[in-house]
């Protein structure tokens, strides 16, 4: 039996507002070779964690957003390099949105043909008093329903309104159906972080390979 292909992607998104570079391995381990060419781009590593199974380096220019991306990558089992240089002198909108559009595009590219996968995934994740639920369908049809129930204007240096927005941006670019609901919680940091952790666990399940179903499309239509 041949080895399964490496599920990796390299995505650059360059506009007049932002420059985003993403290197992704959905199964952890080594990043694509381009990592050695771009690693020097990050001067201040806001969210970095290297272990025997994962390599995570994130700098979106927005501290709290880095924290959420770090949690997403860690609990999804990804190795990830992400760097964004954006027009933060205006506000956080372009950097946050474009970061997740690029991350969604990288996920879609790395996933490849959706064959031999579970396709559906769901998870609950608590963080102290907060509890969130995420449900994912690798449907190829972008749709999102996000309800985090945040009440603060900002969390750290990120506008709270951008948190549901970036999840919608990720679902759009990744071409997935996504439902994320924070069910309870008093602290907005906890509510947001539990949502991203739930998403990570749901994505990990949905993207999981099913032994014996290699090459099979998980749909009654025969296509996704």
């Amino acid at each position: 039996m041949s080895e399964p292909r490496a599920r990796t992607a390299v995505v650059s998104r360059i506009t007049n507002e932002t420059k985003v570079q993403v290197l992704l391995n959905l199964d952890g381990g080594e990043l694509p070779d381009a990592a050695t060419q771009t690693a020097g781009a990050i001067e201040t590593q806001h969210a970095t964690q290297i272990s025997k199974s994962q390599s995570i380096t994130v700098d979106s220019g927005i501290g709290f957003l880095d924290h959420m991306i770090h949690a997403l990558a860690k609990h999804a089992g990804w190795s990830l390099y992400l760097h964004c240089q954006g027009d933060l002198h205006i506000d956080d909108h372009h950097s946050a949105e474009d970061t997740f559009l690029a991350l969604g595009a990288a996920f879609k590219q790395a996933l490849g043909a959706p064959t031999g996968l579970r396709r559906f995934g769901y998870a609950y994740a608590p963080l102290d008093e907060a509890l969130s639920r995420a449900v994912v369908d690798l449907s190829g049809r972008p749709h999102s329903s996000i309800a985090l129930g945040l009440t603060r204007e900002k969390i750290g240096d990120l506008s709270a309104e951008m948190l549901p927005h970036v999840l919608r941006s990720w679902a759009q670019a990744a071409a997935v159906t996504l439902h994320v609901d924070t069910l309870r919680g008093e602290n907005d940091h906890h509510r947001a972080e539990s949502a991203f952790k739930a998403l990570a666990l749901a994505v990990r399940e949905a993207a999981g390979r099913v032994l014996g179903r290699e090459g099979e499309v998980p749909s009654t239509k025969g296509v996704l």
Side-chain angles (χ1 to χ4, degrees):
M1 181 180 296
S2 61
E3 289 291 323
R5 71 172 183 85
R7 299 194 293 180
T8 61
V10 177
V11 169
S12 294
R13 179 182 172 87
I14 299 175
T15 72
N16 290 333
E17 299 163 343
T18 63
K19 295 178 176 63
V20 186
Q21 173 96 36
V22 178
L23 311 174
L24 176 65
N25 187 331
L26 294 184
D27 301 302
E30 293 185 2
L31 286 166
D33 290 341
T36 59
Q37 302 170 19
T38 57
I42 291 185
E43 297 178 0
T44 57
Q45 298 177 354
H46 295 171
T48 300
Q49 186 173 18
I50 310 297
S51 69
K52 64 181 181 181
S53 63
Q54 288 175 277
S55 172
I56 301 170
T57 303
V58 178
D59 186 356
S60 68
I62 305 169
F64 189 74
L65 194 65
D66 291 349
H67 184 40
M68 295 300 97
I69 297 169
H70 185 187
L72 173 60
K74 180 63 179 178
H75 297 290
W78 299 346
S79 284
L80 174 68
Y81 171 95
L82 186 149
H83 181 253
C84 175
Q85 180 182 351
D87 56 0
L88 291 174
H89 62 284
I90 295 176
D91 68 5
D92 56 5
H93 186 102
H94 298 145
S95 290
E97 179 180 65
D98 287 2
T99 290
F100 273 78
L101 288 173
L103 187 57
F107 177 84
K108 182 179 180 182
Q109 182 186 120
L111 193 68
T115 58
L117 306 178
R118 291 192 180 94
R119 175 180 167 180
F120 300 100
Y122 72 92
Y124 291 81
L127 179 55
D128 297 343
E129 89 294 347
L131 177 66
S132 293
R133 175 186 62 219
V135 184
V136 173
D137 177 9
L138 305 180
S139 61
R141 299 186 301 276
H143 175 81
S144 57
S145 177
I146 314 295
L148 305 185
L150 304 175
T151 58
R152 289 169 57 179
E153 182 177 351
K154 301 190 78 171
I155 307 177
D157 49 2
L158 177 68
S159 302
E161 67 181 5
M162 290 308 299
L163 286 161
H165 185 78
V166 299
L167 293 177
R168 295 186 189 102
S169 297
W170 182 83
Q172 174 187 337
V176 305
T177 297
L178 175 63
H179 294 259
V180 180
D181 297 274
T182 299
L183 306 175
R184 62 176 62 93
E186 299 171 1
N187 181 287
D188 275 359
H189 183 134
H190 290 176
R191 292 179 73 93
E193 188 171 343
S194 70
F196 277 79
K197 287 177 176 177
L199 171 60
L201 297 172
V203 166
R204 189 170 190 167
E205 181 179 14
R209 293 181 168 111
V210 181
L211 187 64
R213 295 188 181 178
E214 296 84 358
E216 295 183 12
V217 178
S219 171
T220 55
K221 296 184 182 72
V223 296
L224 281 174

